[in-house]
Amino acid sequence: AQTVTQSQPEMSVQEAETVTLSCTYDTSESDYYLFWYKQPPSRQMILVIRQEAYKQQNATENRFSVNFQKAAKSFSLKISDSQLGDAAMYFCAYRLYGSGNTPLVFGKGTRLSVIA
Amino acid sequence: DAGVIQSPRHEVTEMGQEVTLRCKPISGHNSLFWYRQTMMRGLELLIYFNNNVPIDDSGMPEDRFSAKMPNASFSTLKIQPSEPRDSAVYFCASSPSGANVLTFGAGSRLTVL
């Protein structure tokens, strides 16, 4: 079974600084997707960024970027120029590629605080 | 597009009562997923459907839990009888065929006293 591990239960960052959230996963498959979701206090799950495992290029979405290391099974999220609105729980997730839709497997999450 | 719609947003009930949570997926999405979120266990998959057919219900904790998807636009998650340890936020998510993204509803917060 696939597992996702987020080793940092809590992180904090100064406003305008950069922070990196860690994620590792375990799988024997070669085709899969990786995601970072944000959950603010409203509890809505918001997709931040996604990465296809077959792509070597790291995904980037504005201030958010990932460092995808397939051999190491590592998928970290970097947030640049942190803003107060970035404060939230961040979940790393894995999804197996399949002919039919498959579910997401989530890590336990990292709570990010942004200090003004 | 109204997104994935869940109801109720909040439910407070007493132990032993039946609870029904509802979900309307995004039109055209053919996969639907039920997750439970607790502080201790994080986000756990309970069950998911493809084309209204249950594919994997191994995450359903006990026989007290049941889920149905009678058509492409509606699903229910029922707990009978409810227990205090069922208190959690229950999320529904949907996905179109071949897509690599799930869209989540706002969640239903259940409190069982």
Side-chain angles (χ1 to χ4, degrees):
Chain A
Q2 293 82 18
T3 58
V4 177
T5 302
Q6 294 179 248
S7 59
Q8 306 152 315
E10 296 183 353
M11 294 279 287
S12 62
V13 63
Q14 292 279 350
E15 197 175 6
E17 296 297 309
T18 296
V19 65
T20 299
L21 308 184
S22 301
C23 173
T24 58
Y25 57 95
D26 186 23
T27 184
S28 58
E29 305 291 339
S30 58
D31 292 330
Y32 50 87
Y33 306 103
L34 296 165
F35 306 84
W36 281 96
Y37 276 84
K38 171 185 178 181
Q39 187 180 42
S42 67
R43 81 170 180 245
Q44 181 69 49
M45 295 291 286
I46 302 167
L47 177 66
V48 174
I49 199 166
R50 61 187 173 205
Q51 173 83 41
E52 291 86 351
Y54 66 85
K55 290 186 177 179
Q56 292 186 341
Q57 185 172 6
N58 290 323
T60 298
E61 289 286 345
N62 300 313
R63 298 183 295 108
F64 299 87
S65 61
V66 297
N67 184 1
F68 173 47
Q69 301 289 330
K70 190 172 184 179
K73 298 180 182 175
S74 171
F75 184 62
S76 61
L77 174 69
K78 185 171 81 170
I79 306 174
S80 304
D81 185 26
S82 296
Q83 301 175 0
L84 294 178
D86 295 333
M89 282 289 289
Y90 286 82
F91 293 95
C92 179
Y94 165 102
R95 189 180 193 191
L96 178 64
Y97 176 83
S99 57
N101 283 335
T102 56
L104 291 172
V105 177
F106 286 94
K108 290 291 179 65
T110 296
R111 182 175 301 281
L112 178 66
S113 301
V114 180
I115 303 165
Chain B
D1 188 350
V4 177
I5 299 173
Q6 291 187 245
S7 65
R9 284 273 289 168
H10 305 276
E11 173 101 4
V12 180
T13 190
E14 293 190 346
M15 183 174 62
Q17 297 297 306
E18 178 179 294
V19 174
T20 299
L21 307 179
R22 298 173 176 80
C23 176
K24 177 179 170 58
I26 293 173
S27 178
H29 285 197
N30 71 327
S31 294
L32 184 140
F33 306 82
W34 283 101
Y35 285 87
R36 178 172 67 176
Q37 184 178 28
T38 60
M39 288 291 291
M40 291 296 294
R41 301 175 68 89
L43 280 152
E44 304 173 279
L45 177 72
L46 297 177
I47 186 171
Y48 77 100
F49 299 83
N50 282 344
N51 298 313
N52 312 338
V53 176
I55 303 301
D56 183 359
D57 65 353
S58 60
M60 297 285 264
E62 299 170 33
D63 292 344
R64 299 184 297 107
F65 285 69
S66 62
K68 295 182 180 179
M69 191 164 186
N71 56 62
S73 59
F74 185 66
S75 177
T76 59
L77 178 67
K78 186 175 293 187
I79 309 171
Q80 167 63 22
S82 58
E83 296 183 3
R85 59 192 167 127
D86 302 331
S87 298
V89 178
Y90 291 82
F91 284 100
C92 175
S94 70
S95 177
S97 179
N100 62 7
V101 177
L102 271 64
T103 301
F104 283 80
S108 295
R109 179 177 293 279
L110 172 65
T111 302
V112 183
L113 303 175

mmCIF file of all heavy atoms in Angstrom, chain B residues 18-47:
data_model
loop_
_atom_site.group_PDB
_atom_site.id
_atom_site.type_symbol
_atom_site.label_atom_id
_atom_site.label_comp_id
_atom_site.label_asym_id
_atom_site.label_seq_id
_atom_site.Cartn_x
_atom_site.Cartn_y
_atom_site.Cartn_z
ATOM 1 N N GLU B 18 -29.457 7.993 13.921
ATOM 2 C CA GLU B 18 -29.020 7.798 12.535
ATOM 3 C C GLU B 18 -28.591 9.135 11.950
ATOM 4 O O GLU B 18 -29.249 10.153 12.168
ATOM 5 C CB GLU B 18 -30.146 7.204 11.703
ATOM 6 C CG GLU B 18 -29.789 7.008 10.233
ATOM 7 C CD GLU B 18 -30.925 6.387 9.440
ATOM 8 O OE1 GLU B 18 -31.274 5.227 9.706
ATOM 9 O OE2 GLU B 18 -31.473 7.080 8.553
ATOM 10 N N VAL B 19 -27.488 9.116 11.206
ATOM 11 C CA VAL B 19 -26.977 10.315 10.554
ATOM 12 C C VAL B 19 -26.859 10.043 9.053
ATOM 13 O O VAL B 19 -26.339 8.996 8.653
ATOM 14 C CB VAL B 19 -25.585 10.691 11.101
ATOM 15 C CG1 VAL B 19 -24.994 11.849 10.313
ATOM 16 C CG2 VAL B 19 -25.676 11.037 12.586
ATOM 17 N N THR B 20 -27.327 10.974 8.253
ATOM 18 C CA THR B 20 -27.181 10.856 6.804
ATOM 19 C C THR B 20 -26.506 12.099 6.267
ATOM 20 O O THR B 20 -27.001 13.214 6.449
ATOM 21 C CB THR B 20 -28.538 10.669 6.114
ATOM 22 O OG1 THR B 20 -29.139 9.457 6.589
ATOM 23 C CG2 THR B 20 -28.347 10.557 4.598
ATOM 24 N N LEU B 21 -25.382 11.908 5.617
ATOM 25 C CA LEU B 21 -24.656 12.995 4.966
ATOM 26 C C LEU B 21 -24.859 12.866 3.459
ATOM 27 O O LEU B 21 -24.867 11.751 2.926
ATOM 28 C CB LEU B 21 -23.170 12.916 5.312
ATOM 29 C CG LEU B 21 -22.841 12.850 6.810
ATOM 30 C CD1 LEU B 21 -21.336 12.757 7.017
ATOM 31 C CD2 LEU B 21 -23.416 14.039 7.555
ATOM 32 N N ARG B 22 -24.979 14.011 2.805
ATOM 33 C CA ARG B 22 -25.330 14.018 1.385
ATOM 34 C C ARG B 22 -24.288 14.728 0.558
ATOM 35 O O ARG B 22 -23.626 15.662 1.031
ATOM 36 C CB ARG B 22 -26.699 14.664 1.189
ATOM 37 C CG ARG B 22 -27.820 13.919 1.893
ATOM 38 C CD ARG B 22 -29.140 14.666 1.838
ATOM 39 N NE ARG B 22 -30.224 13.899 2.427
ATOM 40 C CZ ARG B 22 -30.448 13.795 3.728
ATOM 41 N NH1 ARG B 22 -29.681 14.421 4.598
ATOM 42 N NH2 ARG B 22 -31.460 13.058 4.165
ATOM 43 N N CYS B 23 -24.172 14.301 -0.683
ATOM 44 C CA CYS B 23 -23.182 14.895 -1.580
ATOM 45 C C CYS B 23 -23.723 14.934 -2.997
ATOM 46 O O CYS B 23 -24.253 13.941 -3.515
ATOM 47 C CB CYS B 23 -21.888 14.087 -1.554
ATOM 48 S SG CYS B 23 -20.631 14.682 -2.714
ATOM 49 N N LYS B 24 -23.555 16.082 -3.628
ATOM 50 C CA LYS B 24 -23.866 16.240 -5.047
ATOM 51 C C LYS B 24 -22.564 16.546 -5.758
ATOM 52 O O LYS B 24 -21.974 17.618 -5.552
ATOM 53 C CB LYS B 24 -24.863 17.367 -5.266
ATOM 54 C CG LYS B 24 -25.181 17.647 -6.728
ATOM 55 C CD LYS B 24 -26.209 18.764 -6.849
ATOM 56 C CE LYS B 24 -26.369 19.227 -8.298
ATOM 57 N NZ LYS B 24 -26.760 18.124 -9.195
ATOM 58 N N PRO B 25 -22.064 15.632 -6.593
ATOM 59 C CA PRO B 25 -20.792 15.878 -7.282
ATOM 60 C C PRO B 25 -20.963 16.888 -8.408
ATOM 61 O O PRO B 25 -22.086 17.249 -8.769
ATOM 62 C CB PRO B 25 -20.428 14.500 -7.836
ATOM 63 C CG PRO B 25 -21.749 13.830 -8.045
ATOM 64 C CD PRO B 25 -22.629 14.322 -6.932
ATOM 65 N N ILE B 26 -19.860 17.325 -8.939
ATOM 66 C CA ILE B 26 -19.892 18.216 -10.090
ATOM 67 C C ILE B 26 -20.457 17.453 -11.300
ATOM 68 O O ILE B 26 -20.081 16.298 -11.537
ATOM 69 C CB ILE B 26 -18.482 18.760 -10.394
ATOM 70 C CG1 ILE B 26 -18.032 19.678 -9.256
ATOM 71 C CG2 ILE B 26 -18.442 19.504 -11.719
ATOM 72 C CD1 ILE B 26 -16.592 20.147 -9.360
ATOM 73 N N SER B 27 -21.333 18.107 -12.036
ATOM 74 C CA SER B 27 -21.945 17.475 -13.196
ATOM 75 C C SER B 27 -20.872 17.026 -14.187
ATOM 76 O O SER B 27 -19.960 17.792 -14.523
ATOM 77 C CB SER B 27 -22.904 18.464 -13.865
ATOM 78 O OG SER B 27 -23.470 17.902 -15.020
ATOM 79 N N GLY B 28 -20.994 15.781 -14.630
ATOM 80 C CA GLY B 28 -20.029 15.244 -15.583
ATOM 81 C C GLY B 28 -18.888 14.481 -14.934
ATOM 82 O O GLY B 28 -18.145 13.772 -15.619
ATOM 83 N N HIS B 29 -18.726 14.637 -13.628
ATOM 84 C CA HIS B 29 -17.702 13.870 -12.923
ATOM 85 C C HIS B 29 -18.217 12.465 -12.670
ATOM 86 O O HIS B 29 -19.325 12.289 -12.167
ATOM 87 C CB HIS B 29 -17.352 14.546 -11.589
ATOM 88 C CG HIS B 29 -16.514 15.764 -11.729
ATOM 89 N ND1 HIS B 29 -15.809 16.321 -10.670
ATOM 90 C CD2 HIS B 29 -16.243 16.550 -12.805
ATOM 91 C CE1 HIS B 29 -15.141 17.380 -11.094
ATOM 92 N NE2 HIS B 29 -15.404 17.549 -12.379
ATOM 93 N N ASN B 30 -17.415 11.467 -12.991
ATOM 94 C CA ASN B 30 -17.907 10.097 -12.862
ATOM 95 C C ASN B 30 -17.305 9.339 -11.689
ATOM 96 O O ASN B 30 -17.566 8.151 -11.516
ATOM 97 C CB ASN B 30 -17.667 9.313 -14.173
ATOM 98 C CG ASN B 30 -16.196 9.020 -14.388
ATOM 99 O OD1 ASN B 30 -15.349 9.805 -14.010
ATOM 100 N ND2 ASN B 30 -15.905 7.880 -14.998
ATOM 101 N N SER B 31 -16.461 10.011 -10.889
ATOM 102 C CA SER B 31 -15.914 9.365 -9.701
ATOM 103 C C SER B 31 -16.256 10.203 -8.478
ATOM 104 O O SER B 31 -16.182 11.435 -8.519
ATOM 105 C CB SER B 31 -14.400 9.218 -9.811
ATOM 106 O OG SER B 31 -14.054 8.323 -10.840
ATOM 107 N N LEU B 32 -16.603 9.504 -7.388
ATOM 108 C CA LEU B 32 -16.956 10.191 -6.152
ATOM 109 C C LEU B 32 -16.266 9.502 -4.987
ATOM 110 O O LEU B 32 -16.208 8.262 -4.924
ATOM 111 C CB LEU B 32 -18.484 10.175 -5.961
ATOM 112 C CG LEU B 32 -19.005 10.945 -4.748
ATOM 113 C CD1 LEU B 32 -20.293 11.703 -5.103
ATOM 114 C CD2 LEU B 32 -19.213 10.040 -3.569
ATOM 115 N N PHE B 33 -15.739 10.318 -4.086
ATOM 116 C CA PHE B 33 -14.934 9.819 -2.981
ATOM 117 C C PHE B 33 -15.481 10.383 -1.663
ATOM 118 O O PHE B 33 -15.824 11.558 -1.583
ATOM 119 C CB PHE B 33 -13.477 10.275 -3.129
ATOM 120 C CG PHE B 33 -12.852 9.933 -4.450
ATOM 121 C CD1 PHE B 33 -13.069 10.725 -5.564
ATOM 122 C CD2 PHE B 33 -12.043 8.820 -4.585
ATOM 123 C CE1 PHE B 33 -12.502 10.416 -6.798
ATOM 124 C CE2 PHE B 33 -11.466 8.496 -5.807
ATOM 125 C CZ PHE B 33 -11.696 9.300 -6.912
ATOM 126 N N TRP B 34 -15.537 9.539 -0.643
ATOM 127 C CA TRP B 34 -15.871 9.975 0.715
ATOM 128 C C TRP B 34 -14.627 9.826 1.597
ATOM 129 O O TRP B 34 -14.035 8.737 1.676
ATOM 130 C CB TRP B 34 -17.007 9.152 1.307
ATOM 131 C CG TRP B 34 -18.379 9.500 0.822
ATOM 132 C CD1 TRP B 34 -19.125 8.844 -0.119
ATOM 133 C CD2 TRP B 34 -19.194 10.588 1.282
ATOM 134 N NE1 TRP B 34 -20.344 9.461 -0.282
ATOM 135 C CE2 TRP B 34 -20.414 10.521 0.567
ATOM 136 C CE3 TRP B 34 -19.020 11.605 2.217
ATOM 137 C CZ2 TRP B 34 -21.452 11.449 0.772
ATOM 138 C CZ3 TRP B 34 -20.044 12.512 2.414
ATOM 139 C CH2 TRP B 34 -21.243 12.424 1.691
ATOM 140 N N TYR B 35 -14.255 10.937 2.265
ATOM 141 C CA TYR B 35 -13.137 10.944 3.194
ATOM 142 C C TYR B 35 -13.627 11.378 4.573
ATOM 143 O O TYR B 35 -14.592 12.130 4.703
ATOM 144 C CB TYR B 35 -12.049 11.940 2.750
ATOM 145 C CG TYR B 35 -11.197 11.482 1.589
ATOM 146 C CD1 TYR B 35 -11.597 11.712 0.279
ATOM 147 C CD2 TYR B 35 -9.980 10.842 1.806
ATOM 148 C CE1 TYR B 35 -10.811 11.306 -0.791
ATOM 149 C CE2 TYR B 35 -9.179 10.432 0.744
ATOM 150 C CZ TYR B 35 -9.605 10.664 -0.551
ATOM 151 O OH TYR B 35 -8.819 10.261 -1.611
ATOM 152 N N ARG B 36 -12.898 10.937 5.595
ATOM 153 C CA ARG B 36 -13.159 11.379 6.961
ATOM 154 C C ARG B 36 -11.878 12.025 7.492
ATOM 155 O O ARG B 36 -10.781 11.471 7.297
ATOM 156 C CB ARG B 36 -13.564 10.198 7.843
ATOM 157 C CG ARG B 36 -13.814 10.562 9.296
ATOM 158 C CD ARG B 36 -14.389 9.404 10.074
ATOM 159 N NE ARG B 36 -13.464 8.298 10.241
ATOM 160 C CZ ARG B 36 -13.729 7.219 10.957
ATOM 161 N NH1 ARG B 36 -14.908 7.092 11.572
ATOM 162 N NH2 ARG B 36 -12.842 6.253 11.068
ATOM 163 N N GLN B 37 -12.022 13.162 8.153
ATOM 164 C CA GLN B 37 -10.864 13.853 8.719
ATOM 165 C C GLN B 37 -11.006 13.978 10.223
ATOM 166 O O GLN B 37 -11.991 14.536 10.728
ATOM 167 C CB GLN B 37 -10.684 15.249 8.103
ATOM 168 C CG GLN B 37 -9.442 15.972 8.597
ATOM 169 C CD GLN B 37 -9.251 17.327 7.958
ATOM 170 O OE1 GLN B 37 -10.196 17.999 7.546
ATOM 171 N NE2 GLN B 37 -7.995 17.750 7.833
ATOM 172 N N THR B 38 -10.015 13.469 10.960
ATOM 173 C CA THR B 38 -9.930 13.647 12.401
ATOM 174 C C THR B 38 -8.518 14.096 12.755
ATOM 175 O O THR B 38 -7.587 13.922 11.971
ATOM 176 C CB THR B 38 -10.234 12.327 13.151
ATOM 177 O OG1 THR B 38 -9.265 11.343 12.748
ATOM 178 C CG2 THR B 38 -11.622 11.809 12.849
ATOM 179 N N MET B 39 -8.379 14.657 13.933
ATOM 180 C CA MET B 39 -7.062 15.100 14.375
ATOM 181 C C MET B 39 -6.107 13.918 14.486
ATOM 182 O O MET B 39 -4.938 14.004 14.111
ATOM 183 C CB MET B 39 -7.174 15.813 15.719
ATOM 184 C CG MET B 39 -7.819 17.174 15.644
ATOM 185 S SD MET B 39 -6.781 18.369 14.796
ATOM 186 C CE MET B 39 -5.466 18.538 15.982
ATOM 187 N N MET B 40 -6.607 12.821 14.996
ATOM 188 C CA MET B 40 -5.736 11.675 15.262
ATOM 189 C C MET B 40 -5.321 10.938 13.996
ATOM 190 O O MET B 40 -4.174 10.516 13.853
ATOM 191 C CB MET B 40 -6.431 10.704 16.217
ATOM 192 C CG MET B 40 -6.604 11.223 17.623
ATOM 193 S SD MET B 40 -5.000 11.507 18.418
ATOM 194 C CE MET B 40 -4.397 9.829 18.528
ATOM 195 N N ARG B 41 -6.240 10.781 13.075
ATOM 196 C CA ARG B 41 -6.005 9.910 11.927
ATOM 197 C C ARG B 41 -5.847 10.652 10.605
ATOM 198 O O ARG B 41 -5.552 10.021 9.574
ATOM 199 C CB ARG B 41 -7.125 8.884 11.833
ATOM 200 C CG ARG B 41 -7.255 8.012 13.078
ATOM 201 C CD ARG B 41 -8.468 7.093 12.978
ATOM 202 N NE ARG B 41 -8.286 6.084 11.959
ATOM 203 C CZ ARG B 41 -7.726 4.893 12.163
ATOM 204 N NH1 ARG B 41 -7.306 4.562 13.364
ATOM 205 N NH2 ARG B 41 -7.602 4.028 11.172
ATOM 206 N N GLY B 42 -6.041 11.963 10.640
ATOM 207 C CA GLY B 42 -5.888 12.730 9.402
ATOM 208 C C GLY B 42 -7.024 12.455 8.435
ATOM 209 O O GLY B 42 -8.152 12.190 8.840
ATOM 210 N N LEU B 43 -6.721 12.503 7.147
ATOM 211 C CA LEU B 43 -7.720 12.285 6.097
ATOM 212 C C LEU B 43 -7.681 10.826 5.656
ATOM 213 O O LEU B 43 -6.685 10.350 5.119
ATOM 214 C CB LEU B 43 -7.429 13.183 4.896
ATOM 215 C CG LEU B 43 -7.878 14.627 5.025
ATOM 216 C CD1 LEU B 43 -7.009 15.540 4.181
ATOM 217 C CD2 LEU B 43 -9.335 14.760 4.608
ATOM 218 N N GLU B 44 -8.782 10.137 5.873
ATOM 219 C CA GLU B 44 -8.872 8.717 5.530
ATOM 220 C C GLU B 44 -9.937 8.520 4.458
ATOM 221 O O GLU B 44 -11.041 9.068 4.577
ATOM 222 C CB GLU B 44 -9.322 7.895 6.738
ATOM 223 C CG GLU B 44 -8.493 8.017 7.978
ATOM 224 C CD GLU B 44 -9.180 7.287 9.122
ATOM 225 O OE1 GLU B 44 -10.103 7.863 9.728
ATOM 226 O OE2 GLU B 44 -8.796 6.127 9.400
ATOM 227 N N LEU B 45 -9.620 7.707 3.475
ATOM 228 C CA LEU B 45 -10.611 7.336 2.469
ATOM 229 C C LEU B 45 -11.573 6.315 3.062
ATOM 230 O O LEU B 45 -11.146 5.298 3.628
ATOM 231 C CB LEU B 45 -9.927 6.727 1.254
ATOM 232 C CG LEU B 45 -10.860 6.222 0.156
ATOM 233 C CD1 LEU B 45 -11.507 7.405 -0.572
ATOM 234 C CD2 LEU B 45 -10.114 5.325 -0.828
ATOM 235 N N LEU B 46 -12.858 6.593 2.941
ATOM 236 C CA LEU B 46 -13.861 5.643 3.418
ATOM 237 C C LEU B 46 -14.308 4.725 2.283
ATOM 238 O O LEU B 46 -14.311 3.496 2.427
ATOM 239 C CB LEU B 46 -15.067 6.397 3.984
ATOM 240 C CG LEU B 46 -14.797 7.284 5.201
ATOM 241 C CD1 LEU B 46 -16.059 8.022 5.600
ATOM 242 C CD2 LEU B 46 -14.264 6.456 6.360
ATOM 243 N N ILE B 47 -14.668 5.329 1.163
ATOM 244 C CA ILE B 47 -15.193 4.569 0.023
ATOM 245 C C ILE B 47 -15.115 5.438 -1.214
ATOM 246 O O ILE B 47 -15.108 6.661 -1.103
ATOM 247 C CB ILE B 47 -16.662 4.144 0.283
ATOM 248 C CG1 ILE B 47 -17.201 3.222 -0.828
ATOM 249 C CG2 ILE B 47 -17.566 5.354 0.468
ATOM 250 C CD1 ILE B 47 -18.568 2.619 -0.502
#
